[in-house]
Amino acid sequence: MADVKTSNARRLQSWTAHLGLLAATGVLLALAFPLPGWSWLGFLALAPAAVVVGRSASPRRVWVAGFVVFSLWFLWMLRWLWPVTGPGVLALAPFTAVFPATALWAANLAVVRGRIPVVLALPACWVAGEFLRSVQPWGGFGWFALGHTAGAFGPDAGPSAHALLASVAGAPLVSLFLAYVACEFATVATRRGRIGRVLLRFSGAAALLLTLIWAGSVIHSLTPRSGVQVAAIQTNNPHSNRVAPTYEDLAAEFRGLAGLHRDAAAARPKPALILWPETIVPGPFNRDADGLDQSPFATAARALIEECGIPTVVGGGFSLPGEGTPRHNSAYLVLPGEPVEAARHDKVHRVPFGEYIPGPGWLKELVLHRFSPYDFDYTLTEGRLGKPFKLLLEDGRTLRFATPICFEDTNPRLTRQMAGRGAEALLNLTTSGWFGRMPADGDAGGLAWRSVRAQHLQIAGFRSIETGLPTLRAVNTGDSALVTGAGFVRGTLPPGEPGVLHAELPLPAAGEAERTLYVRGGYLFAPALACLATLFLLAGLFRAKEEDPILRTASPSGGRPAGGEEG
């Protein structure tokens, strides 16, 4: 019986222990994401949480502690949203915290009651929580997946080696690998006499990792690549002039854009395509039923493109006169000499509360409109994904590209569909002007201002790894960049400064876009893992509560209970 008491004493029972260990996971996770972006902490971040999952006898306490800690965690990580919508952050943080809290609760139930080893239960449940958070009906929120810590986010930087796993089964596979390693670290730190067994499992995991990385690298080198010269315009326009515009300020901003466009067109070698940021042209860019521009800036933009003679992707609005007509956030391909734009992509993945307010009408009027950064109705219509844009190059090749707008490149489902429809490159139009101008040196808001840009660039890199497609980003206020199909950042412009990014966009020489394993079917890994996590949860919910199989409580007779190897 002495062994039983000793084992029971190792269980977590106090609120202090639960909150302290989960807070340690929160701190490690925060440091692993930019900024500072110490990606190696991704291997350790879930280790304290693994101790909680494996040793807590109270699933309810695990959920409550997880909800408290991650509500505070998201409040901190989303600090760049405070200048946009304070009420929105106060609502979003606890809502998103439900997912990691529930993942920890489900893993604890699977371990304590379902007799599932921690190294299986926690990684599966954690990644399932990330997946469900990214696809939930109110628009999804795919930021801050554990696997994203492996991505590149700085000038001329490359991702960690294990980030290439994303080309096989997406960022969820990278998250799963990191969560598994953290659980093994927790086992080493809290157990004795098991080092050999743990090293054996580490060896197997390392062999699997190297195999998958090799497979990913092979996929990225299947087709010889040649480049096409492109240019991305980075403006530095404040978002305040979007909310309360004056004609004088809009005209001054357009003159700055025109100067940058002329500089890009005059460069040698001459770019085959110029990319503008999101909604950079004030007013609707489309023409009305009579074929006339509805905005003087649209007329000036078309004249500028005609003057310089280079095809241009323009970020602008779409609307028609009259009540109830659709309004879109759009990207237009404008060709010199063509009176009508060659193609248009309307934004599919709208930002909740920024571009539409979810929920029933009465709830919008009563409460939800307070979460919007606007004091007027800015509801946009959801677009439909079409075929990639096609641009005939001077050397006879055809460039096929898709244009994810703003946070659309944080949605892996959308970029996968773009790749599946034949896109050879992703051209991302974004404005980060929402989050203000670059703070002065020493300003307390500087870290948050830089963090959101680095985090967005890091996520965009994962979309390139998953699809094998290069990404060119034109971002108002930065960071504009070129990301290769393997996630390497090969060119950037300093944030907070206007400029032109000249880059060589790598393309398949044979004219057929590559297909990574992720695009071919690896995207099913995340929902399959969510199903597995559900089975683990059901095992914990419906199996009778027995002795803790992870703690391996000794029986009164001194023997070991049934249950197999410890996790």
Side-chain angles (χ1 to χ4, degrees):
M1 294 298 294
D3 289 336
V4 176
K5 292 179 180 178
T6 300
S7 183
N8 287 338
R10 296 170 66 191
R11 297 192 181 192
L12 293 182
Q13 297 181 353
S14 69
W15 281 106
T16 301
H18 284 75
L19 291 170
L21 286 168
L22 292 181
T25 282
V27 171
L28 293 173
L29 279 174
L31 294 174
F33 288 103
L35 296 168
W38 297 336
S39 61
W40 57 272
L41 289 178
F43 288 102
L44 303 174
L46 289 189
V51 176
V52 173
V53 166
R55 295 196 168 180
S56 176
S58 173
R60 179 183 64 86
R61 192 163 293 189
V62 171
W63 191 92
V64 173
F67 179 75
V68 170
V69 167
F70 281 99
S71 292
L72 296 174
W73 190 85
F74 278 110
L75 281 174
W76 170 252
M77 297 301 292
L78 294 171
R79 59 196 181 277
W80 39 265
L81 261 183
W82 281 99
V84 182
T85 168
V89 178
L90 291 175
L92 181 60
F95 175 72
T96 49
V98 168
F99 294 91
T102 303
L104 295 171
W105 167 81
N108 179 250
L109 273 174
V111 168
V112 174
R113 299 185 185 181
R115 305 175 73 87
I116 307 296
V118 173
V119 293
L120 296 180
L122 180 56
C125 292
W126 185 267
V127 177
E130 291 183 344
F131 169 69
L132 294 174
R133 174 164 59 88
S134 69
V135 299
Q136 48 84 12
W138 278 20
F141 187 71
W143 291 60
F144 306 121
L146 177 61
H148 290 163
T149 60
F153 59 87
D156 298 317
S160 301
H162 53 285
L164 277 178
L165 292 173
S167 66
V168 178
L173 181 58
V174 186
S175 292
L176 185 76
F177 177 75
L178 292 174
Y180 168 78
V181 172
C183 289
E184 293 289 20
F185 273 122
T187 302
V188 172
T190 57
R191 300 290 183 185
R192 295 180 180 179
R194 304 286 179 179
I195 302 299
R197 188 175 296 168
V198 170
L199 290 177
L200 181 62
R201 291 200 298 229
F202 267 131
S203 300
L208 176 62
L209 172 66
L210 292 175
T211 301
L212 293 176
I213 289 177
W214 172 81
S217 64
V218 168
I219 290 170
H220 284 301
S221 60
L222 285 177
T223 307
R225 287 179 171 269
S226 58
V228 55
Q229 290 295 323
V230 292
I233 304 296
Q234 177 171 297
T235 49
N236 193 36
N237 301 340
H239 188 69
S240 58
N241 202 36
R242 304 285 185 91
V243 178
T246 66
Y247 183 85
E248 292 75 13
D249 288 340
L250 292 175
E253 291 174 357
F254 188 84
R255 286 194 296 271
L257 171 68
L260 293 171
H261 186 87
R262 291 188 176 98
D263 291 342
R268 293 295 178 270
K270 180 181 176 182
L273 181 70
I274 299 177
L275 178 65
W276 288 6
E278 174 190 14
T279 58
I280 197 65
V281 178
F285 189 77
N286 62 293
R287 291 177 162 174
D288 62 17
D290 295 325
L292 301 175
D293 288 326
Q294 303 176 61
S295 164
F297 295 104
T299 301
R302 295 180 194 277
L304 174 65
I305 295 169
E306 186 70 27
E307 169 196 333
C308 294
I310 296 178
T312 302
V313 176
V314 175
F318 174 94
S319 65
L320 296 173
E323 292 289 335
T325 55
R327 298 176 64 246
H328 295 289
N329 181 351
S330 303
Y332 297 83
L333 174 59
V334 181
L335 303 178
E338 297 290 338
V340 180
E341 59 272 2
R344 187 183 84 235
H345 164 68
D346 299 325
K347 190 175 183 184
V348 178
H349 181 72
R350 298 169 298 167
V351 178
F353 301 104
E355 294 174 323
Y356 81 107
I357 300 177
W362 64 268
L363 192 58
K364 296 178 186 179
E365 293 294 331
L366 184 64
V367 176
L368 295 181
H369 72 280
R370 301 181 186 275
F371 300 152
S372 172
Y374 299 103
D375 57 4
F376 56 90
D377 185 8
Y378 187 69
T379 299
L380 296 180
T381 309
E382 180 180 3
R384 292 185 178 181
L385 184 61
K387 295 181 179 180
F389 291 12
K390 293 183 180 181
L391 176 64
L392 182 63
L393 303 177
E394 291 183 354
D395 60 6
R397 289 181 297 167
T398 299
L399 171 60
R400 297 174 177 85
F401 62 91
T403 55
I405 299 174
C406 195
F407 289 169
E408 284 190 324
D409 66 352
T410 68
N411 186 322
R413 176 186 60 83
L414 188 61
T415 53
R416 172 183 59 80
Q417 291 174 343
M418 291 174 172
R421 297 188 182 199
E424 299 170 327
L426 301 175
L427 273 56
N428 175 233
L429 303 78
T430 296
T431 176
S432 292
W434 284 82
F435 313 110
R437 286 185 179 272
M438 184 170 66
D441 292 340
D443 191 309
L447 181 62
W449 188 90
R450 291 173 176 84
S451 293
V452 61
R453 288 156 175 80
Q455 290 162 9
H456 194 182
L457 176 58
Q458 186 179 58
I459 297 172
F462 260 87
R463 300 295 86 85
S464 282
I465 297 173
E466 289 169 347
T467 60
L469 304 182
T471 296
L472 179 68
R473 307 180 73 231
V475 186
N476 176 43
T477 75
D479 292 353
S480 298
L482 173 69
V483 184
T484 71
F488 288 82
V489 180
R490 285 292 180 250
T492 59
L493 291 176
E497 299 179 15
V500 179
L501 174 66
H502 297 278
E504 184 175 333
L505 191 68
L507 296 174
E512 284 294 329
E514 298 174 1
R515 293 291 180 267
T516 62
L517 291 178
Y518 173 77
V519 173
R520 293 173 182 174
Y523 61 90
L524 297 173
F525 173 77
L529 197 64
C531 293
L532 178 63
T534 302
L535 293 177
F536 288 168
L537 174 59
L538 292 176
L541 287 174
F542 295 107
R543 187 166 183 168
K545 187 174 182 180
E546 302 175 2
E547 291 177 306
D548 186 342
I550 300 305
L551 297 180
R552 293 291 173 257
T553 302
S555 65
S557 61
R560 295 183 61 188
E565 177 186 339
E566 77 176 77

